[in-house]
Amino acid sequence: IRINSQSGKGGIGYILQSKYGFDLPAKFREDLGYTVKDVSDKAHKELSAAEVLDIFQRTYVNIEGPVQMLECHFVQGDGISTEITIMKYGEKKVYHGKGNGRLDAVSNALKKAYELKFNLVTYQEHALEKSSSSKAIAYVGIQKPDGTLSWGAGVDPDIIRASIDALVTAINNR
């Protein structure tokens, strides 16, 4: 498969899935397709599979800026409560949130901490390999008040941490 400015989201999705094991949600593939098309247009060349992977990783995977999640702790009781430690622009702070699950609790803590307005509209996860020591990947799409989507992916051996990293990346990509 040749990747150039005319390539569609299907070809880019196929490359990432068949060569590297990433199975992105359809709308995420669409967003990545526009990003890859832009790079191809500006470079005036076809892109290799490795270049597509690099664009995906640099743009969407475990982005730690300006918000960086340092620690996250959970307590299960009436729902899930969390205490998160965040670094933003060099300032470390602790925030609390509550939700119906771990990702919802972290999402609520981040919304409250930074007065963010978004809805988590897409969440998908899978293992990257078929082994007990495989890393997990989570994909998160958040919808901003203007209706546009922001995407993030998180890769970690712990699926909860991968999910949180995907959410933080989507927030950082706002």
Side-chain angles (χ1 to χ4, degrees):
I1 291 182
R2 300 165 79 176
I3 303 296
N4 60 31
S5 64
Q6 303 305 307
S7 296
K9 60 186 180 236
I12 292 165
Y14 175 79
I15 289 285
L16 288 177
Q17 186 170 15
S18 66
K19 287 193 140 306
Y20 305 108
F22 298 108
D23 186 13
L24 282 68
K27 291 287 187 184
F28 196 161
R29 283 194 309 267
E30 184 178 328
D31 194 76
L32 174 61
Y34 288 122
T35 302
V36 169
K37 179 185 180 321
D38 187 51
V39 171
S40 178
D41 280 345
K42 287 178 180 166
H44 303 290
K45 70 173 195 152
E46 292 180 350
L47 303 175
S48 68
E51 288 171 311
V52 171
L53 174 65
D54 183 59
I55 292 165
F56 171 64
Q57 290 177 323
R58 280 186 295 113
T59 309
Y60 298 102
V61 180
N62 294 0
I63 305 301
E64 294 183 338
V67 176
Q68 181 182 8
M69 180 73 62
L70 300 178
E71 291 183 40
C72 189
H73 303 282
F74 300 101
V75 175
Q76 190 164 351
D78 181 29
I80 302 286
S81 297
T82 188
E83 178 180 280
I84 60 175
T85 304
I86 298 289
M87 178 81 73
K88 185 173 181 186
Y89 299 121
E91 190 175 348
K92 188 162 107 172
K93 291 195 173 180
V94 175
Y95 299 100
H96 297 87
K98 193 169 186 156
N100 61 10
R102 286 170 175 76
L103 191 59
D104 187 45
V106 171
S107 176
N108 290 335
L110 288 166
K111 285 178 182 178
K112 187 167 54 172
Y114 298 112
E115 298 178 13
L116 299 173
K117 296 189 182 340
F118 65 84
N119 291 315
L120 199 147
V121 294
T122 301
Y123 174 79
Q124 186 175 310
E125 65 184 49
H126 63 85
L128 285 173
E129 302 163 355
K130 291 179 174 33
S131 76
S132 61
S133 62
S134 175
K135 288 186 178 180
I137 184 160
Y139 310 98
V140 166
I142 59 173
Q143 186 174 39
K144 300 178 272 187
D146 67 2
T148 60
L149 296 177
S150 179
W151 292 97
V155 176
D156 196 89
D158 179 346
I159 190 57
I160 299 300
R161 183 59 196 221
S163 302
I164 292 166
D165 289 346
L167 174 62
V168 170
T169 296
I171 290 168
N172 285 331
N173 279 340
R174 290 182 53 182

